[in-house]
Amino acid sequence: MTAQRHKQVTESFCASINAFYNALLRECGPFPLDPDSRRFVITNDESNERLTVPCRHHSRTGRHILGTALALEAGGHTRPISFSESVDWCLNHPSLRRVSDRQSRQLFRQRVLSSQQNLQQTHSHLQNRLDRIFHEDAAFIDSEQSLINGHSIHPCPKDRGNMSESDTLNYAPEYGGRFPLAWYSVDRACLTTQQGTRQSVECMTASLLDSDGSCRAATAPGQVLIPCHPFQHRQWQAHPVIQRLQQAGKIRFLGLGRPDWQATSSLRAIWSENHDWMLKFSLSVRITNSIRHLQPEEAMRGPGLTRLLDREPLTRWRRDNPSFRLLGEPVSLALCDEEGVPLPETTIVFRENPFRRENTHRCEVLASLLQDDPRTGLSRLALRLLARNAGNREAHRWFRRYLDVAVAPLLEAQSEYGLLFGAHQQNLILKLDNDLMPCFAWFRDCQGTGFTSQASDKLGKSLGPLIRNSGNQPPDELGIRLFSYYLFINSTFNVITSLAASGLTGEGALLRQLRHWLEQKRSTATDPGVIDYLLHSQQLHAKNNLLCCLQALNENTLEDIASIYHPMVNPLLTNHPATDNTEKGLHDHDDQRDYQLNADL
């Protein structure tokens, strides 16, 4: 490829533009796609102006591959417009002004531009690693730390709120830093624990201690050692309640351990090759739609689910799905105030760590696998398959294996047992075989689980206290929408976009394959509610990432979670109102190998 052509391709994709405008087009439209210019047209009737956004791949599933040549049409003239200028223009659009005030729009703008700056810095910092990130085999932690673009449909996918530049370099996964745990000694009376296993908290924390035992001797009688994320350690030290408890001698900071730990893609969950447990912490950072504090009711879900999974009928579900596992979270703990009320800023969750020694190779986070290469706009999944001269047949085989290995067990858990798993792209990990086909899957994040009304009948009386205390039994209709959003709209539809945008196969063919697969599953489903919703609803419901961010809502503490979802046209309907060029990828389908040569529009 010539230098000029490479420059054209590189400049034809921008992660910030794609994430921002995919969110806006999905939530605030419909905005028409001009079939001749292949541009989305956003019109402001008040100013009589039109912003046009180039579309390199139109997707009926709702995540388009967009170009960078934004243009503003006003007064009979058209001029190029920068991303930041376009954000300002959008914030003056009547549809956004109606749902926000001036202060929230200013805050929103800051977050969007901060995310853009972070993305630019990350891509620049990792320029020499991009070939490895998008083309080479990856182990578990490599995949976790290669999610450099963040959420693919969100206005500020890489905004990190109050994290400083040095914090980012130390703790953000894409920079690959290693860091220690901060260790505390805590009076047991100041600690609340949730346990789904007979193993004691003391044993579990002791297993994390450095081999030299530097903190072990500092434990006083009646106290328990607990770890803290080094970023959150500063928040603990500034917390008035913890300051009072420290002054009373009930909590003592002991020091830092060895730099054995690395951040996973979620930032607040960390991993070490030396330990049986990963740790998930509350972090006082706003990322995407929420401040990352684990609430007390969320902390109950992992231990409760651990107990359920060790009993029938869920032991049968586990046996019936030998290529699928839930990463258990059997223990959570948090500091309490003087009245025994848990402090959400201090929650710690222990998560199983199977990704050690030989079980790390080709264990990939789905979000990283579907992530677009900032140089071309093609996903790691597509680039890896294209490098093996894969075509239509291999693309459909990969999709079928993904459905059978990752989606089927989750759908069975819902339809047979009333379990709801929030299986978005970052919560699914795939093991790939030598042909790069999915052969095993893990789901993580027990905080993102819930139950339908049939769960009580299926799982027995022991479920009652878990439902009452953990706040995770939504009304069935809402539960269906949430489950379907995460597993299908967020995860599975993005698999379809990633495969189709490369020209490996047509999007319509993949949607027909998914529809046929769902129809087969319906024939044996005890509760076909989710399947019927997907097959027959005129509209599905997706999360309002842009509006949630614009209105500065904290998703974790919302009372009405349904309020941040919006309807979208169901792409699985056979009469979907798609445009003529829906089936086209980044290039013309007549040449499935020239995928890198399509310049911007």
Side-chain angles (χ1 to χ4, degrees):
M1 181 184 295
T2 66
Q4 179 61 28
R5 175 60 72 181
H6 180 75
K7 183 174 186 291
Q8 285 180 319
V9 172
T10 302
E11 293 180 351
S12 68
F13 185 83
C14 170
S16 293
I17 286 176
N18 272 265
F20 180 92
Y21 280 102
N22 268 304
L24 186 139
L25 292 168
R26 177 184 275 182
E27 297 176 37
C28 304
F31 297 111
L33 176 69
D34 184 331
D36 295 324
S37 65
R38 294 192 69 185
R39 285 176 170 269
F40 285 103
V41 181
I42 304 169
T43 302
N44 185 330
D45 291 329
E46 289 183 359
S47 64
N48 201 28
E49 296 175 326
R50 304 197 323 163
L51 176 68
T52 65
V53 182
C55 180
R56 300 174 62 199
H57 168 76
H58 181 275
S59 172
R60 63 171 90 170
T61 63
R63 184 174 80 85
H64 316 289
I65 308 298
L66 305 173
T68 61
L70 306 173
L72 185 64
E73 299 176 5
H77 301 285
T78 301
R79 67 177 180 89
I81 186 172
S82 69
F83 175 61
S84 60
E85 288 177 298
S86 77
V87 171
D88 290 338
W89 187 89
C90 290
L91 286 173
N92 196 42
H93 195 281
S95 64
L96 296 189
R97 289 208 320 270
R98 279 195 299 268
V99 296
S100 62
D101 56 37
R102 183 177 179 180
Q103 183 178 5
S104 66
R105 289 193 295 273
Q106 288 175 338
L107 253 174
F108 175 83
R109 181 182 186 275
Q110 292 172 10
R111 291 193 65 197
V112 171
L113 298 184
S114 172
S115 173
Q116 180 198 25
Q117 183 179 21
N118 289 340
L119 277 167
Q120 289 172 339
Q121 290 176 345
T122 300
H123 292 169
S124 176
H125 181 83
L126 299 178
Q127 189 64 41
N128 294 332
R129 283 177 48 197
L130 292 180
D131 278 342
R132 180 158 64 88
I133 287 173
F134 287 95
H135 292 279
E136 297 181 10
D137 276 356
F140 168 75
I141 196 61
D142 300 323
S143 179
E144 291 282 354
Q145 297 190 332
S146 67
L147 187 59
I148 58 177
N149 293 341
H151 199 305
S152 58
I153 306 180
H154 197 284
C156 42
K158 276 296 181 180
D159 176 51
R160 295 198 183 92
N162 59 317
M163 286 193 85
S164 67
E165 185 175 346
S166 62
D167 287 334
T168 299
L169 290 172
N170 288 331
Y171 307 127
E174 57 266 36
Y175 291 99
R178 290 177 176 266
F179 48 85
L181 295 172
W183 283 95
Y184 281 78
S185 179
V186 180
D187 272 11
R188 179 162 274 286
C190 298
L191 197 64
T192 179
T193 62
Q194 300 290 334
Q195 290 185 249
T197 177
R198 294 180 180 178
Q199 190 174 2
S200 69
V201 172
E202 288 86 350
C203 287
M204 295 180 74
T205 55
S207 71
L208 302 175
L209 285 171
D210 302 332
S211 58
D212 62 4
S214 57
C215 295
R216 196 183 306 272
T219 310
Q223 293 200 327
V224 180
L225 283 173
I226 62 169
C228 177
H229 191 290
F231 174 87
Q232 199 65 7
H233 163 62
R234 298 204 307 267
Q235 318 304 315
W236 286 22
Q237 289 295 305
H239 197 292
V241 173
I242 295 176
Q243 287 177 343
R244 290 198 302 270
L245 293 172
Q246 285 191 116
Q247 290 168 3
K250 296 182 177 181
I251 294 177
R252 293 183 298 142
F253 169 57
L254 302 178
L256 300 174
R258 290 181 175 177
D260 281 348
W261 297 87
Q262 296 176 269
T264 64
S265 59
S266 68
L267 186 68
R268 61 177 170 169
I270 65 174
W271 171 89
S272 168
E273 68 268 36
N274 299 319
H275 299 291
D276 293 330
W277 303 103
M278 290 184 269
L279 298 173
K280 182 176 180 179
F281 295 92
S282 284
L283 287 189
S284 300
V285 180
R286 188 182 191 98
I287 303 173
T288 58
N289 299 336
S290 60
I291 299 169
R292 298 297 162 141
H293 289 165
L294 288 158
Q295 302 301 315
E297 61 272 16
E298 292 180 298
M300 297 177 179
R301 295 172 188 170
L305 196 54
T306 297
R307 290 189 291 270
L308 288 173
L309 287 168
D310 283 339
R311 303 171 183 167
E312 291 288 0
L314 292 185
T315 51
R316 181 168 66 250
W317 171 68
R318 293 168 65 186
R319 289 193 302 270
D320 290 344
N321 294 280
S323 298
F324 181 90
R325 285 290 179 271
L326 172 80
L327 293 184
E329 297 175 358
V331 169
S332 67
L333 50 91
L335 301 180
C336 299
D337 65 15
E338 293 90 340
E339 282 71 46
V341 177
L343 303 174
E345 303 94 325
T346 67
T347 307
I348 306 161
V349 169
F350 284 71
R351 175 182 289 166
E352 291 174 351
N353 177 23
F355 307 108
R356 300 180 63 196
R357 302 181 184 93
E358 69 281 354
N359 194 38
T360 63
H361 188 54
R362 290 191 182 138
C363 295
E364 302 204 25
V365 184
L366 183 62
S368 297
L369 198 58
L370 303 183
Q371 176 179 234
D372 301 315
D373 187 333
R375 300 167 298 183
T376 63
L378 293 178
S379 70
R380 169 176 165 81
L381 171 60
L383 290 167
R384 296 273 282 156
L385 292 176
L386 285 165
R388 299 172 70 91
N389 293 314
N392 180 77
R393 181 178 179 180
E394 288 81 7
H396 284 275
R397 180 171 169 244
W398 199 98
F399 189 48
R400 177 59 190 253
R401 288 280 291 272
Y402 159 78
L403 292 174
D404 289 343
V405 170
V407 180
L410 294 163
L411 193 59
E412 180 186 334
Q414 177 277 321
S415 65
E416 301 304 316
Y417 306 107
L419 272 172
L420 301 171
F421 292 96
H424 59 67
Q425 294 176 60
Q426 266 184 279
N427 283 347
L428 286 174
I429 301 165
L430 302 179
K431 175 79 170 179
L432 304 181
D433 64 19
N434 291 335
D435 294 325
L436 302 185
M437 297 290 159
C439 60
F440 200 97
W442 294 265
F443 169 82
R444 64 170 165 211
D445 193 7
C446 293
Q447 288 74 54
T449 59
F451 304 94
T452 66
S453 59
Q454 74 156 339
S456 296
D457 294 334
K458 294 286 186 175
L459 303 180
K461 295 180 180 179
S462 59
L463 184 62
L466 179 58
I467 289 178
R468 285 195 300 272
N469 297 328
S470 63
N472 59 342
Q473 187 178 23
D476 281 355
E477 183 180 0
L478 177 59
I480 286 172
R481 290 182 180 183
L482 298 178
F483 177 85
S484 300
Y485 166 71
Y486 286 118
L487 181 56
F488 289 94
I489 297 174
N490 185 290
S491 292
T492 304
F493 286 179
N494 271 291
V495 172
I496 290 174
T497 295
S498 293
L499 291 170
S502 66
L504 282 163
T505 187
E507 188 174 82
L510 290 168
L511 286 168
R512 288 191 293 273
Q513 182 181 2
L514 174 57
R515 184 176 181 86
H516 178 66
W517 185 87
L518 287 168
E519 289 169 345
Q520 289 180 316
K521 294 298 178 185
R522 195 198 184 286
S523 65
T524 58
T526 301
D527 174 12
V530 164
I531 299 175
D532 286 344
Y533 169 72
L534 291 166
L535 290 178
H536 305 302
S537 295
Q538 291 293 313
Q539 296 175 323
L540 305 179
H541 290 78
K543 191 184 292 183
N544 284 330
N545 287 322
L546 186 142
L547 294 177
C548 191
C549 184
L550 176 62
Q551 296 170 351
L553 301 177
N554 186 1
E555 184 182 345
N556 273 4
T557 56
L558 275 179
E559 291 187 9
D560 181 14
I561 194 68
S563 66
I564 63 168
Y565 282 77
H566 68 277
M568 59 176 277
V569 176
N570 183 358
L572 286 167
L573 293 181
T574 54
N575 60 342
H576 187 281
T579 58
D580 290 340
N581 62 347
T582 297
E583 297 284 323
K584 291 186 178 181
L586 294 180
H587 54 83
D588 196 287
H589 270 250
D590 290 339
D591 182 2
Q592 293 194 348
R593 287 293 163 268
D594 196 18
Y595 63 92
Q596 289 184 314
L597 302 183
N598 194 72
D600 199 4
L601 295 165

